[in-house]
Amino acid sequence: MFVQLVVAAGNRAGQVVHVVGEKFIIGRAEDCHLISRSELISRYHCAILVGKEVVVRDLGSKNGVWLNGDKVNAQHKLQTGDKLVIGPLEFFVNIIADEKMIEGDSVEAGTNPAASEDNSDETENTFNSTLLLSHLETLNRETMPEQGRQEQNVNDLVKKFL
């Protein structure tokens, strides 16, 4: 399983953070995997745990972790398209189940895990399309009113934007 955090807002929107290892720590401490200088983030704010499923665990942070607008109590399972907010940091979650990655192949930071030497541009386009559809699903959940909320087919969403 391969996990990415895609920056959702700010001047780094679209930048991809590759979650490496089984326990990826986000915080202000120098030994964290993702370090923020914001005082809104605790020294050890949260962890993303990668195993049979991917979960985010609040490590007792002062300001909490938010998933799709709801505060995470202790830990919560992550899914592709989820919006994860940690202090001023906002990310979309992208989870890729790739047998080659599970077998131990490594991916350099800053590269696209779906595009390997033997993959075509079609694979990269599929990866980008999947990520876009995940973003659209999240936006749909955030913008529809609570009462009378109906899940829309992803194809209907794409038609709105074309």
Side-chain angles (χ1 to χ4, degrees):
M1 194 165 320
F2 191 79
V3 182
Q4 297 175 319
L5 301 176
V6 181
V7 179
N11 60 352
R12 295 184 184 240
Q15 182 175 347
V16 177
V17 176
H18 300 281
V19 175
V20 293
E22 294 177 0
K23 188 173 184 181
F24 186 84
I25 308 293
I26 300 172
R28 286 193 343 259
E30 292 300 320
D31 58 341
C32 290
H33 297 95
L34 179 61
I35 302 170
S36 173
R37 300 290 176 225
S38 172
E39 291 296 319
L40 298 174
I41 295 182
S42 299
R43 286 180 35 79
Y44 298 98
H45 199 97
C46 67
I48 296 178
L49 308 173
V50 181
K52 290 183 180 180
E53 59 184 20
V54 180
V55 298
V56 61
R57 178 181 294 161
D58 189 330
L59 298 176
S61 66
K62 182 178 178 181
N63 294 313
V65 175
W66 297 81
L67 183 63
N68 299 323
D70 297 323
K71 189 170 184 176
V72 172
N73 295 320
Q75 75 179 31
H76 199 282
K77 181 179 175 183
L78 294 175
Q79 298 179 21
T80 294
D82 282 345
K83 186 172 185 182
L84 182 64
V85 178
I86 305 160
L89 306 175
E90 296 182 22
F91 302 101
F92 285 109
V93 177
N94 190 37
I95 301 171
I96 304 164
D98 186 313
E99 290 179 13
K100 288 184 181 180
M101 295 302 296
I102 293 171
E103 291 173 4
D105 288 356
S106 63
V107 174
E108 290 183 41
T111 62
N112 183 342
S116 64
E117 292 177 14
D118 58 357
N119 286 347
S120 65
D121 288 336
E122 183 177 327
T123 302
E124 187 170 343
N125 289 339
T126 301
F127 170 77
N128 290 333
S129 298
T130 302
L131 190 56
L132 174 62
L133 291 175
S134 297
H135 291 284
L136 289 173
E137 287 174 337
T138 301
L139 289 171
N140 185 48
R141 285 194 305 261
E142 291 176 354
T143 57
M144 291 187 75
E146 287 294 325
Q147 293 182 351
R149 179 179 289 187
Q150 297 175 349
E151 290 298 321
Q152 291 182 330
N153 185 328
V154 172
N155 293 328
D156 293 339
L157 285 171
V158 172
K159 288 177 187 174
K160 286 183 184 179
F161 291 97
L162 294 179

